[in-house]
Amino acid sequence: MRIACVLDVDYEDSEFKEPYDAFRKAGHQVTVIGLKAGKDLKGKKGEVTTKAEAGIDQVRPDQFDALFIPGGYSPDHLRLNSKVVSFTKSFFDSDKPVFAICHGPQLLITARVVKGRTLTAWPTIQDDLRQVGAKVVDQEVAVDGNLVTARKPDDIPAFNRESLKILEKVPIASR
């Protein structure tokens, strides 16, 4: 599967690195998409640095099978860019898998795709989700169709497990 990872600086290091490694270990291709290709993207703890392999202007949603949104401050930066918001929304319009952890659902709120869905997120984002009509559960991982969300770094093992299960269910024809 081809997974788009939308990312900007100050992401939560482990929330990017651990799922990224798990997806790749399972044989999936993960492309880091930033606001600008080639930009160095450093995690907020400074433990992980990666590079944007492509800029949002260079990609189309139909080039990918799933979307991964790490947490930290990155989602708040990304949701200021209308192209990132449209890119995110298109995965929901096509019913493709979306994986968002911690502050990742901030981008989903801006894309207006959470109303009526069951999600979890970092505690301060949970109230925001409720206010826009999402059903919020305070548990390590929430699965709603092709959407997987988790709250924090401690939840990464459950997040990875459920995300990989969703990827296994995607029909071969669409891979």
Side-chain angles (χ1 to χ4, degrees):
M1 303 288 286
R2 300 161 301 170
I3 302 170
C5 172
V6 289
L7 197 67
D8 196 31
V9 296
D10 295 330
Y11 51 88
E12 181 66 42
D13 302 61
S14 62
E15 292 171 358
F16 162 69
K17 183 75 169 127
E18 291 179 36
Y20 176 89
D21 289 346
F23 293 144
R24 291 183 48 95
K25 184 178 178 188
H28 304 294
Q29 175 189 337
V30 184
T31 303
V32 176
I33 300 163
L35 298 175
K36 185 177 177 187
K39 181 179 177 183
D40 284 329
L41 303 173
K42 191 173 199 171
K44 70 179 190 172
K45 292 182 178 167
E47 297 167 359
V48 178
T49 299
T50 191
K51 191 176 289 282
E53 298 169 79
I56 193 64
D57 293 333
Q58 300 170 299
V59 295
R60 296 181 326 274
D62 64 4
Q63 296 173 301
F64 300 95
D65 305 301
L67 176 64
F68 167 41
I69 309 167
Y73 298 115
S74 170
D76 199 35
H77 300 171
L78 293 171
R79 68 187 184 153
L80 287 171
N81 184 295
S82 63
K83 290 179 182 175
V84 175
V85 173
S86 296
F87 185 81
T88 300
K89 186 177 183 315
S90 68
F91 283 83
F92 285 85
D93 294 344
S94 302
D95 198 30
K96 292 181 181 178
V98 175
F99 315 121
I101 186 166
C102 195
H103 285 69
Q106 286 180 311
L107 183 53
L108 305 182
I109 290 169
T110 304
R112 293 173 171 55
V113 294
V114 299
K115 188 174 183 177
R117 289 190 162 267
T118 300
L119 293 91
T120 194
W122 183 254
T124 58
I125 308 305
Q126 290 180 14
D127 186 56
D128 298 342
L129 288 165
R130 281 187 198 93
Q131 289 188 42
V132 294
K135 179 184 176 198
V136 177
V137 293
D138 187 17
Q139 59 195 42
E140 66 179 0
V141 67
V143 179
D144 183 333
N146 278 340
L147 174 63
V148 178
T149 53
R151 301 171 301 186
K152 57 189 174 182
D154 291 346
D155 300 338
I156 292 171
F159 178 76
N160 289 349
R161 179 188 70 235
E162 296 303 322
S163 298
L164 290 168
K165 278 186 196 175
I166 296 291
L167 291 172
E168 288 172 10
K169 294 178 187 175
V170 175
I172 299 291
S174 66
R175 292 186 189 183

